[in-house]
Amino acid sequence: MGEKVVAGRFDLSDRQLYRDKLRSCLTGLERLLDQKRFDRPKNLMGVEIELNLAGGDGMPKMLNGQVLERIASRDFQTELAMFNLEVNIAPHRLDGRVFDRLAEELRTSLAYADRKAGEVDAGIVMIGILPTLDRDDLISSNLSDVDRYALLNEQIVAARGEDFVLDIDGVERLTCTSKSIAPEAACTSVQLHLQVTPGRFADVWNAAQAVAAAQIAVGANSPFLFGRELWRESRPPLFLQSTDTRPPELQAQGVRPRTWFGERWISSAYDLFEENLRYFPALLPICDEEDPLEVLDAGGVPKLAELVLHNGTVYRWNRPVYGIADGVPHLRVENRVLPAGPTITDVIANAAFYYGLVRALAEESRPVWTRLPFEAAEANFDAACKHGIEARLEWPRRGRYGGTAQIDAVTLVRDELLPLAETGLAAWGIERADRDLYLGVIDERCRRRANGATWQAATFHRALEAGLSRDAALAATTRTYRRLMHLGDPVHTWPVGIPEPVPAP
């Protein structure tokens, strides 16, 4: 939702006009695809990371406006709530030592942002869900002071017509209600972009869907919300429920939620954009002056503004993106599966695993999506969110027997997916030093069955055993996490527990 929008009210004619413009945009996209107007292969990737602001006590700080003013860089932007920021890294070519370069850029950017946040007694915490968030932190008055967030909240609330219900049953159960979409702001993620040609889009998107569960299993980092221990990766159910425009009756009818895994393998990028129009009403019916078909008839490149805006209000875990760079249109797959953190090394390791894996799987002669039912890929995703690195996943059998079988996520990753990721990174032209370093991080997580979620949960329970209250244990876990995050050693090496003295009860 990076588009700038101006808050206002919509009437019935706005929605009809917007629907007509969306259809024109979709026709324009179809013509661009037919005319092969899209950019040539450039092997470009990009990274966005959503961040939290917390004080020295580990509690959230509603200060993103002041911090952004001090950072004064276009690389940093607001996010949904006032304790959120986002950092965007410029596109890089996938080759050589790109991952080491990315890591160094991120270290420099986050260290600078953390220093600037320190000027207002805050600091950067890169984590899937800040464990110290309370229900009182996630209210509409704490949304960032940006028109598009206020308008989006207003429209989603109006579409739902009643309070949002959060009901997540994990290690413990959380049930509560919210009058706004503010709980969505608890979800801070890493978005991995990959520019692809139209001809390769479907294979890359299908591959990304197939491996989403493995990404979550090794990268889970969001076990807590509102003081409860829930799923190992609680962002997906929280995001789904906090943006759900469907009252229970529409859910019972099978109407699709706006936060969506999908329901089928695809054959073209067009499939996804067309589904978005067919299934999801407009939330922000804001029309651009451009007539996309007139622009095409004149030999130009249309912005497809309505299609881009609508696409940004459908929250697929692998989202199609249309963009224009240097006057040439391009397509990207935006992978939105991963939580932020724990460290920059961990984030880059997750990225290397993803980019290598989708390249290798997209080029297989018998693609995994021809052997794995889509329903199994979705069930895998849910299992990985619930159980993290201990999940069991369904995956095609190797060899001539065919069919699928249940397998430990750790075994699948170590025996099958890491070798594929190595092959894919080599095909991108990534140097061996980068491949060994960052895929080695994933392998070590699997060997030790340790990731951000396991560390958070184990440290929290150690603090409880030492006599801290739940709130104090969560705050101490957050403070320790922040310190180790900035030291930068990957999470599988972190000592479990809180090194600070525990006050006597």
Side-chain angles (χ1 to χ4, degrees), residues 331-384:
L331 293 171
R332 303 194 303 274
V333 174
E334 180 190 14
N335 179 260
R336 303 159 48 81
V337 166
L338 290 163
T343 67
I344 288 165
T345 298
D346 288 302
V347 167
I348 299 300
N350 291 340
F353 182 55
Y354 168 74
Y355 287 117
L357 202 45
V358 293
R359 170 78 185 249
L361 289 175
E363 294 180 350
E364 280 193 315
S365 57
R366 288 186 65 220
V368 64
W369 56 91
T370 65
R371 298 175 288 135
L372 181 71
F374 193 91
E375 297 74 18
E378 184 174 19
N380 285 347
F381 183 71
D382 286 344

Side-chain angles (χ1 to χ4, degrees), residues 264-332:
R264 63 184 175 122
W265 306 115
I266 65 165
S267 57
S268 165
Y270 180 88
D271 294 349
L272 299 177
F273 288 102
E274 188 275 333
E275 277 184 353
N276 286 355
L277 267 64
R278 183 154 39 103
Y279 294 147
F280 302 105
L283 287 177
L284 302 172
I286 300 166
C287 290
D288 190 79
E289 293 179 359
E290 175 189 83
D291 182 324
L293 302 184
E294 283 184 6
V295 172
L296 273 170
D297 289 341
V301 175
K303 293 180 293 184
L304 306 184
E306 292 82 8
L307 190 73
V308 169
L309 181 60
H310 184 61
N311 191 55
T313 66
V314 179
Y315 304 104
R316 295 178 183 270
W317 295 109
N318 285 290
R319 176 189 274 167
V321 178
Y322 170 88
I324 302 172
D326 300 323
V328 182
H330 67 263
L331 293 171
R332 303 194 303 274

Side-chain angles (χ1 to χ4, degrees), residues 107-118:
R107 285 189 191 100
T108 301
S109 292
L110 293 194
Y112 174 71
D114 194 60
R115 285 198 306 275
K116 291 298 179 183

Side-chain angles (χ1 to χ4, degrees), residues 195-214:
Q195 184 176 325
V196 291
T197 59
R200 297 200 11 112
F201 186 96
D203 289 347
V204 170
W205 188 86
N206 289 339
Q209 290 285 100
V211 302

